[in-house]
Amino acid sequence: MSETSIRGSSEGPEQTDYDAVIVGAGFSGLYELHRLRDELGLSVKVIEKASDVGGTWYWNRYPGARCDSESHVYCYSFNDELLDEWDWSERYPEQPEVLEYLRLAADHLDLRRDIEFDTEVTTAEFDDSAGTWKIHTDDGETVRSQFFITAVGCLSKPFIPDFEGIESFEGWWTHTGKWPHDPVDFEDKQVAVVGTGATGIQIIPEIATSNPAHLTVFQRTPNYAVPARNRPLDEDDRAEIRDNYDEIFDLAHSSGFGHPFEAAYDTAEGLSMEEVEKRLEPRWEEGGFRFMLTFGDLVTSAETNEKVSEFIRHKIRETVDDPDLAEKLVPRDHYYATKRPPLHTDYYRTYNRDDVSLVDVTETPIERITPSGIRTSETEHEFDMIVYATGFDAMTGTLLQMDIQGRNGLTLEEKWEDGPKTYLGLGIHGFPNMFTITGPQSPSVLTNMPVSIEHHVEWISDAVEHLVRNDIRLIEPTKEAEESWTVHNRQVAEQTLYPTADSWYMNQNIPDKPTVFTPYIGGADLYHDTIREVAEKGYEGFELTESVTNLGQQGEQPRLRVMEGD
Ligand code: NA7
């Protein structure tokens, strides 16, 4: 038992208590464990549903799964030894490599001993009288903790549409986010992929080149995919990255999107299409998210966006041989980047193959899944395998599925009936001592995630340290601060083109979810300044409470102490 443990509650021998319980052992949970345990000396438990570390990179192991951020900034920046020890092999890291990196980080920091794998949180309830959290898990255990920290990722609850007959399919089927650990063989199989978001766009070319008998893609909305231009990194690349790590991370941590580059030009407004192409072409050749950041007003100016969108449409038409098919693949219903902008490797060229075909479900909707395939309004397609690349109940889905109950039994589900309400995407009024790493209403999914994760973990760890050093028992956003942040979120989003698209950013991919823009689009740079200032002003907007007055029968107050001398 750690010197700083709060074990010893009067609830009985099976009760095990911690200073902090963290849910999730991906990028964020691992770093939060390290900060709280190794730097503050607190007793910490991580609860993880999977059998290993990795979070999203544990689950999303479908062929072609690759990060769209460049590898040298898709990692922790806080530990020089880790940076020295690790070399990325490609410009964009493939799933097995990210997973290997996170395994190395967990071993390097000796994190596994405080992670309980294969365990799911079923309920987390705030005990008003004790001022602590009770966390129940599917193995029948309950642990009590002072702080409850969610590190559950933003895209962790897979979504499969409620197609009639889905269970009746007699072939092999899965969602990309629940991909099996054993290799999947597509050879000589009739394969269907449903969905053409970032995931579908990655897996479709991989299946097409795995010798299937035929691959049929079911598309509802065409997407604007930009070439990734992935390539192996050589020794010279790595040397250059190492020599410039400080500058690279400084740039990434102070930029609007968490990448080490900013927009090259302010706007395309007033420019001729020829001038626009001259600016876009080099960035198209460079590939990746740098293309998206050619013009700074891409998501605020309809004129700029339409010009960039038109450029991409032209590229699609140039690549796809069959003009009718090309038109089906050309997006017209939304502005570029108002849905998550995918990167691709050979996506459009894949449709030039004879063994690949496209079903536009806006023309011929899926009516039901049958034992032998998919029936549309036109015909029945027979398949051996169906891959659902149909996305996630994003941002709030995983939090809501944990049955989180705050003060007076208020559930998060009730609280967020009309959409998420938070203060800074970090805390929730009515849910004291709970922190959400990259929660809704923070920049999260609009940025390079490890950068936003580091900012959040460090902010939360500093807040916990402040509380402990000052004998403060509870921290909770005020109702006013939360309301004002929620209104600010909506107002900033309304100044952009984002609300014009049906996207998972807007919650519109899940039936009956309230339509509201969920991440914070005010810019990661401004956001980070804001949360820093809030802390500097003594956690402005949070109510800090020194004692829990009605501890009742819970006995002694927790005895949290931060390790001295650090
Ligand atoms: P997305 O981006 O939510 O894509 C899901 C895809 O599935 C998208 O093309 C959807 O079409 C399609 N979809 C969803 N429901 C249906 C139905 N009922 N019929 C046909 N097609 C459907 O999820 P991804 O996994 O690709 O990406 C999620 C994030 O993971 C990604 O942004 C990265 O950050 C990593 P729609 O466009 O809604 O018409």
Side-chain angles (χ1 to χ4, degrees):
M1 181 164 80
S2 148
E3 188 208 1
T4 54
S5 163
I6 59 168
R7 285 167 198 244
S9 100
S10 57
E11 292 243 326
E14 77 287 2
Q15 187 72 37
T16 315
D17 291 330
Y18 297 87
D19 298 338
V21 163
I22 299 167
V23 189
F27 261 102
S28 47
L30 293 178
Y31 185 30
E32 190 64 75
L33 168 60
H34 170 62
R35 286 294 287 226
L36 296 182
R37 187 193 70 182
D38 302 331
E39 298 197 7
L40 298 185
L42 303 183
S43 72
V44 185
K45 177 188 178 106
V46 175
I47 299 171
E48 168 58 60
K49 183 177 165 184
S51 305
D52 199 356
V53 301
T56 203
W57 298 105
Y58 175 90
W59 297 103
N60 286 274
R61 43 182 82 217
Y62 59 86
R66 189 181 290 282
C67 181
D68 285 341
S69 291
E70 293 179 27
S71 53
H72 62 287
V73 281
Y74 197 75
C75 55
Y76 295 123
S77 70
F78 70 86
N79 188 300
D80 288 342
E81 284 170 22
L82 255 182
L83 283 173
D84 285 345
E85 212 169 303
W86 185 260
D87 279 325
W88 295 103
S89 67
E90 293 176 281
R91 180 176 174 188
Y92 305 93
E94 216 178 352
Q95 175 269 336
E97 201 167 11
V98 186
L99 190 56
E100 201 187 327
Y101 168 78
L102 287 169
R103 282 186 180 139
L104 174 91
D107 291 339
H108 181 84
L109 300 168
D110 189 20
L111 299 176
R112 287 176 192 276
R113 63 188 157 94
D114 289 307
I115 306 173
E116 191 173 323
F117 293 107
D118 300 306
T119 308
E120 202 168 341
V121 172
T122 50
T123 303
E125 48 176 331
F126 183 71
D127 179 338
D128 292 83
S129 58
T132 54
W133 282 89
K134 277 164 78 177
I135 296 123
H136 308 276
T137 46
D138 62 352
D139 55 4
E141 285 239 2
T142 296
V143 293
R144 187 182 285 273
S145 170
Q146 178 94 20
F147 296 102
F148 176 57
I149 303 174
T150 62
V152 293
C154 297
L155 295 150
S156 312
K157 186 181 173 197
F159 166 71
I160 299 184
D162 191 15
F163 292 125
E164 208 185 319
I166 196 159
E167 298 284 346
S168 71
F169 182 59
E170 286 169 358
W172 177 94
W173 62 283
T174 192
H175 184 280
T176 48
K178 289 183 174 171
W179 202 263
H181 288 221
D182 295 328
V184 176
D185 186 5
F186 297 103
E187 195 162 341
D188 296 329
K189 303 286 194 312
Q190 296 284 346
V191 186
V193 172
V194 183
T196 53
T199 302
I201 282 168
Q202 287 188 334
I203 198 173
I204 287 163
E206 293 287 329
I207 297 179
T209 50
S210 304
N211 303 319
H214 195 88
L215 168 62
T216 307
V217 177
F218 290 80
Q219 171 191 274
R220 187 165 67 182
T221 313
N223 228 317
Y224 299 92
V226 165
R229 312 244 186 252
N230 188 34
R231 63 178 176 83
L233 296 177
D234 60 24
E235 274 316 310
D236 289 346
D237 295 316
R238 285 198 269 269
E240 195 186 329
I241 290 166
R242 278 188 199 292
D243 289 348
N244 293 292
Y245 255 139
D246 287 348
E247 196 189 329
I248 290 168
F249 284 126
D250 280 354
L251 268 171
H253 282 259
S254 58
S255 80
F257 292 96
H259 296 282
F261 42 84
E262 292 285 12
Y265 305 94
D266 289 340
T267 184
E269 285 180 10
L271 297 180
S272 67
M273 207 47 207
E274 201 183 326
E275 289 168 314
V276 170
E277 282 163 15
K278 221 168 106 189
R279 287 163 176 73
L280 288 173
E281 199 62 55
R283 293 229 153 192
W284 182 264
E285 285 310 312
E286 211 177 341
F289 286 144
R290 289 164 200 263
F291 174 82
M292 183 177 66
L293 285 177
T294 307
F295 297 108
D297 62 352
L298 179 77
V299 290
T300 51
S301 162
E303 181 183 335
T304 294
N305 197 299
E306 183 48 34
K307 286 172 173 167
V308 178
S309 299
E310 195 47 37
F311 178 91
I312 304 173
R313 291 182 196 123
H314 176 67
K315 293 286 187 192
I316 299 170
R317 291 186 181 110
E318 252 182 10
T319 311
V320 179
D321 295 342
D322 175 346
D324 292 336
L325 181 55
E327 285 316 307
K328 286 189 204 287
L329 289 162
V330 164
R332 292 181 201 82
D333 74 313
H334 66 284
Y335 290 105
Y336 167 55
T338 54
K339 292 175 93 152
R340 162 55 159 83
L343 301 185
H344 81 95
T345 301
D346 284 338
Y347 175 64
Y348 294 109
R349 239 200 301 265
T350 297
Y351 291 97
N352 294 337
R353 301 174 61 106
D354 293 337
D355 53 1
V356 175
S357 52
L358 183 82
V359 175
D360 180 342
V361 304
T362 59
E363 288 173 2
T364 54
I366 294 175
E367 287 186 340
R368 62 167 298 138
I369 309 297
T370 67
S372 55
I374 298 178
R375 187 192 301 157
T376 66
S377 58
E378 186 185 45
T379 186
E380 176 149 354
H381 302 260
E382 298 212 336
F383 296 112
D384 303 305
M385 308 171 89
I386 302 178
V387 173
Y388 293 100
T390 42
F392 298 86
D393 185 348
M395 313 242 16
T396 54
T398 313
L399 291 169
L400 292 173
Q401 132 181 306
M402 277 192 287
D403 184 24
I404 300 172
Q405 302 172 14
R407 278 189 194 283
N408 305 315
L410 176 74
T411 66
L412 194 58
E413 205 164 359
E414 288 161 348
K415 164 103 192 181
W416 286 359
E417 202 181 358
D418 301 323
K421 294 188 186 78
T422 78
Y423 179 42
L424 307 169
L426 277 163
I428 304 162
H429 176 69
F431 297 75
N433 286 3
M434 170 176 165
F435 297 103
T436 49
I437 304 177
T438 63
Q441 300 186 337
S442 76
S444 61
V445 290
L446 300 172
T447 67
N448 175 33
M449 286 301 282
V451 168
S452 285
I453 285 169
E454 287 196 339
H455 281 273
H456 264 193
V457 167
E458 286 159 19
W459 191 96
I460 292 166
S461 310
D462 289 350
V464 167
E465 180 173 3
H466 175 81
L467 302 181
V468 173
R469 284 198 189 282
N470 294 288
D471 278 333
I472 296 163
R473 290 290 315 284
L474 299 176
I475 182 168
E476 179 183 355
T478 65
K479 198 164 189 295
E480 297 71 35
E482 182 178 88
E483 270 171 15
S484 135
W485 183 252
T486 301
V487 169
H488 172 61
N489 264 261
R490 198 187 60 235
Q491 286 173 340
V492 184
E494 280 168 0
Q495 289 166 31
T496 72
L497 301 169
Y498 283 102
T500 64
D502 286 351
S503 67
W504 59 256
Y505 294 149
M506 293 292 291
N507 278 341
Q508 277 155 319
N509 63 327
I510 306 294
D512 301 331
K513 251 185 133 176
T515 300
V516 53
F517 190 74
T518 309
Y520 177 63
I521 183 56
D525 43 356
L526 294 177
Y527 173 82
H528 294 143
D529 290 346
T530 304
I531 63 172
R532 199 175 304 122
E533 270 168 38
V534 162
E536 282 164 7
K537 289 181 182 165
Y539 297 92
E540 190 179 46
F542 287 92
E543 191 176 348
L544 307 183
T545 311
E546 286 186 8
S547 67
V548 177
T549 46
N550 54 341
L551 269 174
Q553 321 111 13
Q554 294 302 327
E556 58 189 310
Q557 290 208 8
R559 299 181 307 276
L560 273 163
R561 279 191 303 278
V562 173
M563 198 192 285
E564 293 302 335
D566 54 338

